[in-house]
Amino acid sequence: MDIAIISGKGGTGKTMLAVAIATFLGEQGTPVCLMDCDVEEPNANIFLKAPVLSQEIARVPLPSVNQELCTGCGACERICRFNAIPVIKGSPLVLPELCHGCGGCSLICPEGAITETMREIGTIEEGDKGTIHYVGGRLNVGEAMSPPLIREVKRQYYRSGTRIIDGPPGASCPAVTAADRAHFAVLAAEPTPFGLNDFIIASEMLRALDVPFGAVINRDGTGGPELDEYCVGRGIEIIARIPYSWDIASAYSKGEIAEYLMASHRETIEKITEAALHGALRRI
């Protein structure tokens, strides 16, 4: 089952929770995969410290048009939801930066004028630490879109019973791709005005995706009651609270956050993990 760790904004403790949950499950001897899908800024393995055993180049299909066969019918332009292959004066123009590599244009072309080449978009690395398998993507510098690489990361590993998906922050296409089809999501939040605003947007994204979720309030005590009031009013379960703590910030800055949480906030991490597992099982 897939458990996505999501946040409306950066810096709310999303990766901290993802690594802590994976570490807790790993200590129980449970086969678990930690997937770093925040491919523009991957940092999960800084905290997990799994030795990287393999690295491969990730590629996506890119259409190539044979102008001699093309009749300019416009079927490729009509099927593309991302405007990546506009037909200009009867000739298709491929825009690589917009192409999601779905292959629809090559399938629908009545003349067989479109074939696919492979374009490099980033790398995927894998490693192991005990019973935790680590998979992480890293988008190439200058690459415009991360969803194709996020999908490639999510395709990599299905042998574990539980996959913890560390998604990118926000509610745009990358976050949607990471959370899509998850059995449960843990929505990390902070009780600040900006945190509440982005929490609302992310929670609506998860509702639109039909992904059940619960909230974990990080840096609890630094803001007012508005986040709690919103959760109560919308029926959102607050799974747990992690207090504002200089010690937590210090451990995070040293890359030792998983070890610190296991030692000082183990019951909280256990509570979050059990809530996520039970939520996912209800969905399955």
Side-chain angles (χ1 to χ4, degrees):
M1 54 188 158
D2 287 350
I3 297 172
I5 316 299
I6 301 296
S7 65
K9 64 181 288 293
T12 57
K14 169 181 54 62
T15 298
M16 175 186 77
L17 290 174
V19 176
I21 293 171
T23 300
F24 179 83
L25 289 171
E27 288 185 359
Q28 312 307 307
T30 303
V32 59
C33 180
L34 175 63
M35 316 194 84
D36 193 344
C37 289
D38 190 358
V39 297
E40 295 183 69
E41 299 180 273
N43 64 346
N45 204 34
I46 293 175
F47 305 108
L48 184 64
K49 303 179 181 68
V52 175
L53 304 177
S54 66
Q55 190 175 65
E56 64 181 68
I57 295 174
R59 299 178 175 89
V60 294
L62 180 70
S64 176
V65 181
N66 185 330
Q67 299 293 349
E68 294 183 358
L69 297 177
C70 178
T71 62
C73 69
C76 54
E77 180 181 40
R78 289 190 294 272
I79 197 175
C80 183
R81 298 174 58 191
F82 306 101
N83 302 312
I85 187 166
V87 177
I88 301 174
K89 294 184 178 181
S91 178
L93 174 65
V94 177
L95 303 176
E97 294 81 6
L98 297 180
C99 179
H100 280 58
C102 71
C105 56
S106 63
L107 290 173
I108 203 171
C109 179
E111 307 300 332
I114 300 178
T115 56
E116 292 180 333
T117 59
M118 300 304 292
R119 181 171 67 90
E120 180 180 334
I121 59 172
T123 57
I124 298 175
E125 61 183 24
E126 298 190 47
D128 291 289
K129 183 179 181 181
T131 60
I132 304 173
H133 186 72
Y134 161 73
V135 180
R138 188 176 300 274
L139 194 68
N140 283 348
V141 174
E143 188 67 34
M145 293 185 303
S146 60
L149 181 56
I150 293 172
R151 284 192 288 269
E152 287 301 308
V153 172
K154 291 177 69 175
R155 289 191 187 106
Q156 290 300 308
Y157 194 79
Y158 287 93
R159 295 192 296 275
S160 67
T162 304
R163 303 198 309 170
I164 308 299
I165 299 171
D166 179 17
S172 59
C173 290
V176 169
T177 304
D180 187 34
R181 302 186 183 183
H183 298 104
F184 190 81
V186 175
L187 183 50
E190 61 180 35
T192 63
F194 285 113
L196 173 60
N197 177 77
D198 295 341
F199 177 87
I200 293 172
I201 296 172
S203 65
E204 291 303 314
M205 175 195 74
L206 292 171
R207 291 184 190 276
L209 291 172
D210 193 28
V211 174
F213 66 96
V216 172
I217 299 180
N218 189 26
R219 302 189 189 93
D220 189 38
T222 58
E226 292 81 8
L227 179 57
D228 284 70
E229 292 170 354
Y230 180 81
C231 289
V232 171
R234 296 302 298 270
I236 299 172
E237 178 190 3
I238 299 176
I239 299 171
R241 302 172 186 271
I242 298 176
Y244 175 74
S245 166
W246 175 262
D247 291 336
I248 291 178
S250 177
Y252 187 96
S253 69
K254 297 174 183 177
E256 300 170 354
I257 189 62
E259 297 88 340
Y260 177 81
L261 290 176
M262 288 299 99
S264 301
H265 296 273
R266 186 181 187 86
E267 292 183 0
T268 300
I269 300 304
E270 181 178 5
K271 182 179 181 182
I272 296 169
T273 304
E274 290 181 351
L277 292 175
H278 291 160
L281 286 171
R282 286 196 297 268
R283 186 57 178 267
I284 293 174

